[in-house]
C-alpha cells in the first residue's frame, strides 16, 4: 500500500498536460470570454443572433463537441450493471430531485432575502439538474462512465417531467405556505425537452453509434487504444470553447455588477459544497466504491445552467436579475467543480489502496 496521500498524487501525475493544467486553461478561457464581451461591442448580440428556435448555435456546438468524446468512451454493454444498482439510482434521484432544489431554495432565501430577482434566479438554477458538463467532471475524477451515462439519462427524463411542476411548487406554493413572497415561472415541456434532446440526445446517440460501428469494423482494442486517445482531448477543447462563448455573452453583466455577482456566488458556493459532500457521504455510507460515489457526488452537485439561463431569459428578460443569477452559475460552478475533481482524486485513497488499472481519460 502506498504511503498516505500518494494515491491521489499518482493519479494526477498520469493526467495529460492538458488535463493537469485544466484550472489554468479554464481560468484563461473565462478571462478571455469576459474581455471579449467587454472589448468587442455587439459581440453578445451577434452571437445570440446565430440561433435556431432560441438555441444558440455556438453554445450548442461547444457542448456537443464537449460531450461526444466522453459518451463515445462509455461501454454501453455494461449499462445493465448500473441499472440494476437500486441503491445508486434511488440515492441519485433523492439527491437531485428532493435534496438539491430544497437546499437551493433554503440558501437563496437565507442569503438573499432582500434580492428577490436574484433569489428567484438561484432557485431556477437549483431546479435545473445537470445533464451536460457533469460527464466531463466525472471523467476527469475517474468516476464510473457507465453510471454517469445512466444517471444523466435519468435526470433528463425527470427534468422533462418535473421541472415546471417543481418550479411552480418552489416559487409559488411553498413560499405561500411559509408566508414568503411568491412569484411565477414559465417553462413549457417542449422547451425543457428540447434542451435535453439537443445537449444529451445528439451526443449520446453519436457516441453509441461510433462505438458500435468501430468495434464491429476495427475491434474494441483498436477503438480504445487508438481511436479514443485521439478523440479524448476534443472534450476539453469543446469545454474551453463553451466557456469563452458563455462569458463573452455575459461579460458586461458580470463585470458591471460585481457586488451582485459576489452575493449570488455565496449561496452557490455553499450549495456546491453541500451537494458534493452529501453525495460522497451517501456513497460512502452505501459502500458504492470510489467510482460510483464520485459519479453520485458530481451528478448531485452539477446544474444545467443552459436550461436555467434560457428559462430565466424567456420568463423575465435578458437583463433581469434572474438571468444574471443564471449567468453567475457557470462562473462559480466551473472553477469550483474543477477544484472538486482534484479533491476527489485526493479522497480516492480512502476507498482503495491504489489507483486501478483503468486509464485516466
Amino acid at each position: 500500500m502506498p504511503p498516505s496521500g500518494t494515491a491521489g498524487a499518482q493519479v494526477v501525475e498520469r493526467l495529460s498536460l492538458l488535463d493537469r493544467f485544466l484550472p489554468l486553461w479554464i481560468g484563461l478561457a473565462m478571462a478571455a470570454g469576459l474581455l471579449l464581451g467587454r472589448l468587442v461591442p455587439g459581440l453578445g448580440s451577434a452571437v445570440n443572433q446565430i440561433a435556431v428556435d432560441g438555441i444558440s448555435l455556438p453554445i450548442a456546438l461547444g457542448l456537443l463537441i464537449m460531450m461526444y468524446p466522453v459518451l463515445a468512451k462509455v461501454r454501453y454493454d455494461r449499462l445493465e450493471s448500473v441499472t440494476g444498482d437500486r441503491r445508486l439510482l434511488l440515492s441519485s434521484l433523492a439527491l437531485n430531485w428532493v435534496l438539491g432544489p430544497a437546499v437551493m431554495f433554503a440558501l437563496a432565501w437565507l442569503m438573499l432575502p432582500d434580492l428577490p430577482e436574484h433569489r428567484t434566479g438561484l432557485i431556477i438554477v437549483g431546479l435545473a439538474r445537470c445533464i451536460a458538463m457533469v460527464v466531463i467532471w466525472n471523467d476527469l475524477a475517474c468516476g464510473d462512465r457507465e453510471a454517469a451515462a445512466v444517471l444523466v439519462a435519468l435526470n433528463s427524463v425527470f427534468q422533462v417531467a418535473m421541472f415546471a411542476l417543481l418550479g411552480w411548487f418552489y416559487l409559488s406554493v411553498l413560499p405561500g405556505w411559509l408566508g414568503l413572497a411568491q412569484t411565477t415561472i414559465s417553462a413549457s415541456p417542449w422547451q425543457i425537452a428540447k434542451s435535453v434532446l439537443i445537449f444529451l440526445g445528439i451526443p449520446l446517440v453519436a457516441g453509441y453509434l461510433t462505438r458500435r460501428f468501430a468495434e464491429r469494423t476495427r475491434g474494441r482494442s483498436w477503438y480504445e487504444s487508438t481511436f479514443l486517445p485521439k478523440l479524448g482531448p476534443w472534450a476539453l477543447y469543446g469545454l474551453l470553447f463553451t466557456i469563452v462563448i458563455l462569458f463573452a455573452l455575459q461579460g458586461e453583466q458580470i463585470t458591471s455588477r460585481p457586488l451582485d455577482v459576489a452575493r449570488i456566488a455565496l449561496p452557490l458556493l455553499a450549495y456546491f459544497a453541500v451537494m458534493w459532500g452529501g453525495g460522497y457521504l451517501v456513497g460512502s455510507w452505501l459502500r458504492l466504491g470510489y467510482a460510483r460515489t464520485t459519479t453520485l457526488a458530481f451528478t448531485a452537485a452539477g446544474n444545467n445552467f443552459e436550461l436555467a439561463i434560457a428559462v430565466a431569459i424567456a420568463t423575465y428578460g435578458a437583463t433581469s436579475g434572474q438571468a444574471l443569477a443564471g449567468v453567475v452559475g457557470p462562473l462559480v460552478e466551473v472553477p469550483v467543480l474543477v477544484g472538486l475533481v482534484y479533491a476527489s482524486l485526493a479522497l480516492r485513497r480512502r476507498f482503495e489502496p491504489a489507483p486501478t488499472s483503468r486509464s485516466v481519460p
Side-chain angles (χ1 to χ4, degrees):
M1 180 174 177
S4 177
T6 61
Q10 289 178 6
V11 175
V12 173
E13 288 174 2
R14 292 165 60 199
L15 293 169
S16 68
L17 184 66
L18 181 65
D19 290 342
R20 192 179 303 178
F21 293 99
L22 182 61
L24 173 62
W25 312 137
I26 285 180
L28 291 174
M30 292 167 66
L34 291 173
L35 284 173
L36 281 173
R38 294 289 291 178
L39 298 178
V40 181
L43 177 64
S45 299
V47 172
N48 277 325
Q49 288 176 2
I50 310 173
V52 174
D53 197 19
I55 298 292
S56 170
L57 291 184
I59 292 177
L61 177 64
L63 288 169
L64 293 177
I65 293 173
M66 177 188 77
M67 293 184 66
Y68 165 62
V70 178
L71 292 171
K73 292 177 182 178
V74 172
R75 288 192 172 182
Y76 292 92
D77 55 350
R78 294 182 178 177
L79 294 184
E80 187 176 352
S81 68
V82 179
T83 57
D85 191 339
R86 286 190 174 185
R87 297 175 305 164
L88 175 66
L89 299 183
L90 292 176
S91 57
S92 178
L93 286 175
L95 285 168
N96 275 286
W97 297 101
V98 179
L99 183 64
V103 167
M104 189 68 90
F105 175 86
L107 290 171
W109 272 100
L110 285 171
M111 296 187 179
L112 302 175
D114 57 329
L115 296 175
E117 290 189 359
H118 301 338
R119 183 177 64 235
T120 297
L122 280 181
I123 293 172
I124 293 173
V125 170
L127 297 175
R129 313 312 301 168
C130 195
I131 63 168
M133 283 192 176
V134 69
V135 296
I136 290 285
W137 313 132
N138 177 74
D139 219 41
L140 290 171
C142 297
D144 188 317
R145 289 184 187 130
E146 289 70 38
V150 171
L151 296 186
V152 164
L154 192 63
N155 268 353
S156 301
V157 173
F158 269 77
Q159 198 153 100
V160 173
M162 300 297 294
F163 185 92
L165 179 62
L166 286 175
W168 168 73
F169 177 76
Y170 278 103
L171 292 174
S172 182
V173 176
L174 185 57
W177 290 351
L178 299 176
L180 304 172
Q182 297 170 277
T183 184
T184 58
I185 186 173
S186 175
S188 70
W190 167 238
Q191 182 182 24
I192 301 164
K194 181 173 61 178
S195 172
V196 170
L197 289 171
I198 292 175
F199 298 129
L200 175 64
I202 292 175
L204 182 63
V205 171
Y208 171 78
L209 292 177
T210 300
R211 176 176 279 276
R212 186 176 179 87
F213 176 78
E215 287 187 352
R216 281 188 172 183
T217 57
R218 303 294 295 271
R220 174 166 290 186
S221 178
W222 175 87
Y223 182 76
E224 297 192 343
S225 63
T226 303
F227 179 75
L228 287 183
K230 294 179 179 179
L231 180 67
W234 282 93
L236 294 184
Y237 300 153
L239 172 65
L240 297 176
F241 174 80
T242 303
I243 290 171
V244 170
I245 295 298
L246 279 171
F247 285 89
L249 284 173
Q250 306 296 339
E252 185 174 353
Q253 278 207 74
I254 292 171
T255 55
S256 63
R257 301 163 73 176
L259 182 59
D260 285 355
V261 169
R263 290 200 59 187
I264 294 168
L266 288 176
L268 281 169
L269 287 170
Y271 170 83
F272 293 133
V274 169
M275 296 305 297
W276 183 85
Y280 259 92
L281 287 175
V282 171
S284 299
W285 177 60
L286 294 175
R287 300 183 182 277
L288 296 178
Y290 172 79
R292 289 191 176 179
T293 296
T294 296
T295 300
L296 182 66
F298 278 100
T299 51
N303 292 90
N304 184 356
F305 59 82
E306 305 90 5
L307 176 61
I309 293 171
V311 170
I313 291 175
T315 304
Y316 305 104
T319 60
S320 65
Q322 291 89 340
L324 178 63
V327 170
V328 175
L331 175 69
V332 177
E333 181 182 76
V334 169
V336 168
L337 291 191
V338 169
L340 292 178
V341 166
Y342 287 86
S344 295
L345 295 174
L347 286 172
R348 190 172 185 173
R349 60 189 168 85
R350 295 183 178 273
F351 290 83
E352 53 195 14
T356 64
S357 59
R358 177 186 179 276
S359 60
V360 178

